[in-house]
Amino acid sequence: MRKLFLVLGLLAAAGGGYYGVERYRYRFVHSDEDLLRFLPQTDASTFYVNVAALRRAGYLNVLDGAKATQATEYLQFVRETGFDYSRDIDAMAGAAAGQQIWFVLRGRFDWGKLREYVKRHGGQCGDGNCGIATSTAGRRASFRSVQPDVMALGISSDSDAAAAMQQSAAEAMPSTAPVWMKPSHALLTNPTQLPLALRIFAISLESSDSLLVSLRQSEQKEDAFSIEVDSVFGNQPTAETARKQLEIDTGLVKQELAREHKPADPADLTGLLTSGVFQVEQRHMIGTWRVRRELLQALR
């Protein structure tokens, strides 16, 4: 009997191991790079956030100050589903175009509670896709399970936005930074949706072929991190022109502060904008801005 139980135990272990391997093999998402494959192939601004890395570094604490003012709708959602993005999401990739936004989220989801929440609040679930109206008129949130730890989420006037998020050709991760964003061509050429202070700087880069914004660890101890902009132009002289214009823009901000007898404050946007340093490497214009710890403290 002991030998029989031993054989049965070995068979069960082998079968469980085989099932686990096969289940992993046939998952769609094996790395964060795979998250990008589910984003719509349109002229949209794309972004990626390694939420787990930010949580380990303590940067998600910046969001704690906003929790008291979060919408009642979201707080009710957390209570009923037990899901909190700051705790349960490990990584996200997203795309935004106009009034539409798509997310691919990797983390921990209680799918049963999420579906019950949708049904309880007037939404519907069917064919693996759930949809519910948002607080904004004409916009609906829809989601589906890509695999147990990955969700496709769409917020759009289209109630089937999440269902339309299917795998496409693999796209290489453009940056190793924990947070990055690639503006769409439409936003680059018409940056009117940006705040005025950022719009002034964006105009200097609107002729670039592509632009990548990354958050990176800073070498300065007093900095929380740095913002790096890598803008690619058609040739080096054009990149040099953009660098000179950004240096002029930065100088104008400093002159205006001096005229008003106000030093740049590391705890607000003036400290950030005046910290810009710019260089050209072949066709790349690279700008770096310092994000001081005081600024993060002020955001709490």
Side-chain angles (χ1 to χ4, degrees), residues 1-299:
M1 289 297 294
R2 285 197 298 270
K3 290 181 179 180
L4 177 62
F5 286 137
L6 177 60
V7 170
L8 291 175
L10 290 174
L11 289 174
Y18 177 80
Y19 173 77
V21 169
E22 287 299 298
R23 186 178 181 186
Y24 180 78
R25 278 182 57 195
Y26 290 100
R27 286 193 174 194
F28 298 106
V29 177
H30 296 285
S31 68
D32 287 354
E33 189 172 73
D34 290 337
L35 299 175
L36 304 178
R37 302 177 65 179
F38 287 86
L39 298 177
Q41 302 300 303
T42 61
D43 181 30
S45 297
T46 58
F47 57 89
Y48 164 81
V49 182
N50 186 332
V51 184
L54 298 183
R55 186 162 49 237
R56 288 193 298 268
Y59 292 139
L60 287 188
N61 293 336
V62 175
L63 300 175
D64 289 344
K67 287 186 176 179
T69 58
Q70 281 176 342
T72 304
E73 182 182 17
Y74 177 71
L75 295 177
Q76 182 180 2
F77 171 79
V78 173
R79 285 194 300 270
E80 294 187 29
T81 64
F83 176 83
D84 187 336
Y85 67 90
S86 64
R87 179 193 64 217
D88 297 317
I89 296 297
D90 289 334
M92 71 168 72
Q99 297 300 310
Q100 300 183 93
I101 186 166
W102 303 269
F103 295 96
V104 188
L105 310 172
R106 181 175 62 80
R108 290 156 295 282
F109 308 98
D110 188 325
W111 296 102
K113 286 185 177 180
L114 289 170
R115 294 186 183 101
E116 284 301 317
Y117 176 87
V118 168
K119 295 174 183 178
R120 195 180 304 120
H121 291 272
Q124 294 181 332
C125 289
D127 298 325
N129 189 61
C130 291
I132 188 172
T134 69
S135 56
T136 302
R139 300 184 72 191
R140 293 182 62 82
S142 61
F143 67 86
R144 68 180 182 88
S145 170
V146 174
Q147 61 192 43
D149 63 338
V150 177
M151 173 191 289
L153 168 66
I155 301 176
S156 167
S157 57
D158 181 5
S159 58
D160 294 322
M165 296 171 65
Q166 301 294 331
Q167 273 187 305
S168 60
E171 180 179 345
M173 190 76 79
S175 173
T176 58
V179 180
W180 58 258
M181 189 269 285
K182 290 179 65 176
S184 66
H185 180 72
L187 184 60
L188 269 180
T189 55
N190 185 24
T192 54
Q193 299 178 31
L194 297 174
L196 178 60
L198 298 180
R199 195 184 312 161
I200 295 172
F201 286 85
I203 289 173
S204 302
L205 304 172
E206 62 183 353
S207 62
S208 63
D209 296 335
S210 67
L211 188 148
L212 177 67
V213 182
S214 304
L215 267 62
R216 295 186 178 276
Q217 184 176 359
S218 175
E219 296 179 356
Q220 306 291 333
K221 291 183 179 180
E222 61 269 28
D223 296 347
F225 48 82
S226 64
I227 298 174
E228 179 184 288
V229 170
D230 185 353
S231 189
V232 183
F233 291 85
N235 52 58
Q236 186 168 346
T238 309
E240 287 284 1
T241 300
R243 178 187 64 80
K244 293 175 182 177
Q245 185 59 55
L246 284 168
E247 289 178 344
I248 291 172
D249 294 338
T250 303
L252 290 174
V253 174
K254 292 178 179 178
Q255 290 176 18
E256 181 62 23
L257 289 172
R259 188 180 66 83
E260 297 180 1
H261 305 289
K262 293 180 179 179
D265 188 347
D268 65 26
L269 201 57
T270 60
L272 174 63
L273 295 178
T274 57
S275 69
V277 176
F278 312 99
Q279 60 181 336
V280 171
E281 298 178 3
Q282 297 180 347
R283 297 190 301 121
H284 294 251
M285 198 298 301
I286 301 173
T288 306
W289 289 263
R290 299 169 61 187
V291 179
R292 301 287 291 273
R293 298 185 184 277
E294 294 92 330
L295 179 58
L296 294 189
Q297 291 290 337
L299 293 174

